[in-house]
Amino acid sequence: MDLCDLTISEAHECLRRREVSSVELTQALLDRIVALDNDIKAFLTLTPELALEGARAADARRAAGEDDPLLGIPLAIKDVICVEGVPSTCGSRILEDFVPPYSATVIERLLARGAVILGKTNTDEFAMGSSTENSAFFTTHNPWDLERVPGGSSGGSAAAVAARMAPGALGSDTGGSVRQPAALCGVVGLKPTYGRVSRYGLVAFASSLDQIGPFGRTVADVAILLTAIAGHDPCDSTSMNLPVPDYADALKGDGGLSGVRLGVPKEYFIEGIQPEVETAVRSAIEVLRGLGAETVEVSLPHTDYALPVYYLIAPAEASANLARYDGVRYGLRVAGEDMFDNYRATRGAGFGAEVKRRIMLGTYALSAGYYDAYYLKAQKVRTLIRADFDAAFEQVDAIVCPTSPTTAFRIGEKADDPLQMYLSDVFTLSANLAGIPGISLPCGFDAGNLPIGLQILGPAFGEEAILRVAHAYQQVTEWHLARPPASNKRGRRIKGG
Ligand code: GLN
């Protein structure tokens, strides 16, 4: 048995039956990372000492009689989520030496359950991008084809899970950054409802859109992670004070989908979509019908406006959020002649091209004289987009569509063409604008053996519905069991603490 192949649920079973210890599991994954990550480059920081210390503590808790689905389970964390004492760079030079003095609420919750942290994963700078090519440090490679991107911005987390370097991970999704890399790497990724998961300790990109979400190789594993991180947090006033169900319970049952109504939005099967993606998604819909679901065509008439609206609202919020990187309080400081020159020099040297582009776009959209024409107008259209979903969810329980219009593209292919890059998220942005949850799961491969993702969207706080549909699909298909070629290399042992 290769310990790195275990899913979270399988690893939990092995730990529970004392067939393996968390230290053994953690060490196996650390070895795998050392063997593979020169090629894949999913991790920005590896934390072997922290991991093995956590694993030993988890083993001790288990020996004392405790049990939890995450007790002793190693995870990878996107570098925009703060872990106390561990560098959190956000893929940016401006935070290259930043070590947060506190952990995000999601991290506190995972650690309380006994999860183990393997390290911090690569991301587009401040989560702005769809390929990890905007990371200031390096690009992550897709384990299915090392010449291709893993998607982004949570590309490091998605690639780590796909390559069996971690059974689960956290990412963040502002416009698709969990779902799109999940699709491109052939794993499962979920963006929760806005307000379902605390954003405290998540470095802010666009505060009205950001949510932290889990990655796993199965829907069941993602349900376990979501249960652990969800819930109200007094430190995030936008987190909702609603009870958190055990999402894993939602997956029990006969696996049938009779009585479930699924909407197929006609605006999501458009020209420009890779034909193999459309074919795979349409056959997935047939599989869901075979399980008893009823499908109806729905319309989301304002879909075309999602991209322009997102690229006004997200940069506007980013321009305000990123004003804090002034070279005074923390992060990079480049000295200039006077105060304004300090700002200029620090921000000029610390931010990459895409971040600067967003700050300029956002500042412009918010400036006096343009605010009404751009920002305010975008907010009004955002309301219409949300209303489209409200209307659709009066008819159906969930919506099924592609996650991404294409499979993984080549590194460099879209790097110089921001608009092409932005189009990679046409199918995911709307869920963030509407605040609703979405999941992506593997539903096929293209001719080049690159994974294709199926997206299932649900009404606000309808995570159970989308998890149930996704899980039912995985019970009768095997796409999620395929392993990428780059995951096979065996490791030598590294020393931990
Ligand atoms: N690709 C989108 C962007 O660049 C979404 C990123 C995200 O969800 N963080 O903004």
Side-chain angles (χ1 to χ4, degrees), residues 398-428:
I399 288 173
V400 283
C401 56
T403 306
S404 162
T406 68
T407 55
F409 43 93
R410 284 185 188 283
I411 292 173
E413 192 179 321
K414 301 184 184 187
D416 301 323
D417 189 345
L419 211 56
Q420 278 306 313
M421 190 70 87
Y422 297 171
L423 279 166
S424 192
D425 292 298
V426 274
F427 298 147
T428 48

Side-chain angles (χ1 to χ4, degrees), residues 78 123-124 126-131 134 152-154 172-180 205 209-210 310-311 314-315 354 358 421-422 424-425 428-429 432:
K78 184 181 184 181
T123 167
D124 287 294
F126 288 105
M128 297 175 190
S130 309
S131 67
N134 295 336
S153 60
S154 316
S172 64
D173 190 314
T174 303
S177 279
V178 167
R179 292 160 288 155
Q180 184 261 17
F205 163 10
L209 303 161
D210 298 340
Y310 174 87
Y311 278 98
E354 183 61 27
R358 306 270 178 124
M421 190 70 87
Y422 297 171
S424 192
D425 292 298
T428 48
L429 300 166
N432 301 75

Side-chain angles (χ1 to χ4, degrees), residues 36-56:
L36 288 189
D37 213 35
N38 272 342
D39 297 336
I40 294 177
K41 296 182 177 297
F43 286 86
L44 284 167
T45 304
L46 210 54
T47 54
E49 271 136 47
L50 182 70
L52 288 166
E53 189 190 305
R56 279 191 293 270

